Amino acid sequence: MNGPFTPKKVAVAIGVSESSLKRWCDKGLIDFSKTAGGHRRISLPSVVQFLRTSKHEVIQPHVLGLPPANGARTKPIENAQADLKQLLLSGDEKAARAAILDYFLAGNDIACIGDRLVAPVFHDFGRLWENGEVEIFQERRACEITVRVIHEMRTMIPPPQPDAPVAIGGTIQSDPYVLPTNLVDTVLASNGWNSTSLGTMLPFDTLLSAAIQYRPRIFWVSVSKAPEATSFVDEFNKFQQDLPSETALVVGGRALTESIRSQIRYTAFCDNLSHLESYAESIVPPKSIVPLKSIVPPNRELSKN
Ligand code: B12
């Protein structure tokens, strides 16, 4: 991971004076640590959180290892779908990364990026695949690229507070789909949760072992591939019954049809990541996330410095 950076480096990247940058640190607008010698050091997640909340643009992004802004951030996120689709189809990882990260750095929620940019683009790949208009390798490569970008955003999220609520989850044995569970994980992490995606294709007994070991407040299960086994409903309901009593079982995914949902027991079903965000906030208010949103002053005050 890039960083930690000196205030000077961050100042150069943002295009402000080093003294302004240090003042923002001392006012608590940018989180920092100190070296043994007493010098301020700023981690990449702290810089990114500042950029996302203050809406400052990076003038020299390469200094921080970030991609250049592509100007898309001022337009509705839906406008980026067509471009991202082409970039992913042609395997242009650099530009696809820049397109997604630009919206992230501009302060868009991960839920919004997932629901309104990534998911629609992949739904379209599904349609193209059905019509034979896309090679399988293009779809798989698009998945590889996107999961790498999601992981990169994940590394830019500040670590959870020690008392952050725990969330874990993944996909069931029949389900190889990596994007939804990684998005769920990143959404919860960005909301201050101590979140971990366990991965894909996990048997119920190992999901249960994880729940018993970590006693999470939320356990999510993403189901994108319709379960074939007739024993699915029984296995799922046994899993739900054996979960720790404090654990909310949150489910989602396009394969959880109404007919399946009517047979299984869970705490909440979410159509999308925005629903998840609202649900998570309702059960544990986001007090444990570093509350930068509330301490960022109006832009006027920032530009005075
Ligand atoms: C990529 C892809 C694959 C890849 C996945 C690679 C990987 N490692 O992830 C691979 C190659 C494995 C694959 C295989 C197959 N696939 Co496929 N695949 C897709 C595709 C194009 C994208 C899936 C995706 O990642 N979407 C992006 C995510 C982010 O969107 P999403 O799943 O809708 O998730 C959103 C919400 O549902 C919600 N959500 C999801 N989960 C959760 C969980 C929680 C807790 C919460 C809160 C929210 C939530 O939030 C997300 C963001 O909004 C879809 C098209 C589509 N419509 O999605 C087809 C699609 C799902 N596949 C399909 C098919 C047919 C197959 C195959 C059977 C093809 C074949 N003949 O081999 C195989 C089955 C493989 C298997 N073993 O199961 C069909 C399914 C049709 C059906 N009726 O079930 C689809 C719809 C394509 C199509 N139009 O025909 N596939």
Side-chain angles (χ1 to χ4, degrees):
M1 192 168 75
N2 295 329
F5 305 105
T6 60
K8 186 171 183 185
K9 213 166 196 181
V10 178
V12 169
I14 301 182
V16 296
S17 70
E18 189 182 350
S19 57
S20 295
L21 208 288
K22 284 182 175 168
R23 202 161 38 243
W24 296 345
C25 286
D26 295 339
K27 277 186 177 176
L29 299 176
I30 305 181
D31 202 19
F32 64 95
S33 56
K34 281 201 169 169
T35 63
H39 299 290
R40 298 176 192 81
R41 289 291 179 271
I42 307 168
S43 69
L44 183 62
S46 299
V47 183
V48 167
Q49 197 174 14
F50 173 73
L51 295 172
R52 280 167 54 74
T53 50
S54 69
K55 312 283 187 225
H56 260 78
E57 226 176 282
V58 203
I59 310 296
Q60 298 205 52
H62 61 276
V63 174
L64 304 173
L66 296 172
N70 61 10
R73 55 169 62 202
T74 54
K75 302 189 193 112
I77 197 163
E78 283 78 6
N79 291 21
Q81 289 171 9
D83 278 351
L84 182 63
K85 189 176 108 183
Q86 286 314 319
L87 295 171
L88 288 174
L89 280 179
S90 62
D92 188 342
E93 177 153 3
K94 202 171 157 198
R97 170 181 178 254
I100 299 174
L101 288 187
D102 197 25
Y103 278 100
F104 175 64
L105 294 174
N108 287 283
D109 293 339
I110 308 277
C112 165
I113 293 172
D115 288 338
R116 290 163 58 190
L117 183 56
V118 173
V121 166
F122 277 85
H123 294 171
D124 216 28
F125 287 156
R127 190 187 53 78
L128 292 175
W129 173 82
E130 246 177 329
N131 297 338
E133 292 172 38
V134 66
E135 288 287 344
I136 292 174
F137 83 82
Q138 290 176 295
E139 181 204 84
R140 303 257 167 112
R141 182 175 60 190
C143 251
E144 296 283 317
I145 293 173
T146 308
V147 87
R148 278 197 287 275
V149 178
I150 295 170
H151 285 162
E152 188 175 353
M153 286 193 287
R154 184 73 171 76
T155 66
M156 295 183 197
I157 293 170
Q161 300 289 297
D163 61 347
V166 172
I168 56 178
T171 80
I172 56 170
Q173 196 156 19
S174 56
D175 184 340
Y177 287 84
V178 294
L179 293 179
T181 185
N182 278 290
L183 282 168
V184 167
D185 169 53
T186 311
V187 165
L188 289 169
S190 69
N191 280 275
W193 285 66
N194 181 355
S195 171
T196 306
S197 172
L198 302 172
T200 59
M201 306 185 80
L202 296 159
F204 279 113
D205 55 1
T206 196
L207 291 175
L208 186 62
S209 298
I212 289 168
Q213 191 169 337
Y214 294 103
R215 306 194 80 83
R217 188 68 189 82
I218 284 183
F219 197 109
W220 78 83
V221 175
S222 173
V223 189
S224 302
K225 168 79 172 59
E228 276 149 26
T230 45
S231 53
F232 169 75
V233 168
D234 290 343
E235 282 175 357
F236 189 96
N237 288 339
K238 170 134 186 25
F239 167 69
Q240 187 273 343
Q241 206 173 19
D242 293 345
L243 281 176
S245 56
E246 69 269 32
T247 300
L249 178 56
V250 182
V251 297
R254 41 170 304 288
L256 279 185
T257 55
E258 261 184 67
S259 133
I260 294 182
R261 286 197 328 259
S262 68
Q263 301 172 65
I264 58 172
R265 290 180 60 110
Y266 52 83
T267 317
F269 167 76
C270 300
D271 277 315
N272 56 39
L273 301 165
S274 303
H275 291 169
L276 169 71
E277 203 162 54
S278 307
Y279 176 73
E281 280 177 14
S282 77
I283 61 166
V284 181
K287 63 170 173 43
S288 48
I289 195 161
V290 186
L292 265 188
K293 267 183 192 150
S294 56
I295 59 173
V296 168
N299 277 344
R300 254 180 301 115
E301 196 182 320
L302 284 182
S303 53
K304 262 197 301 183
N305 287 320

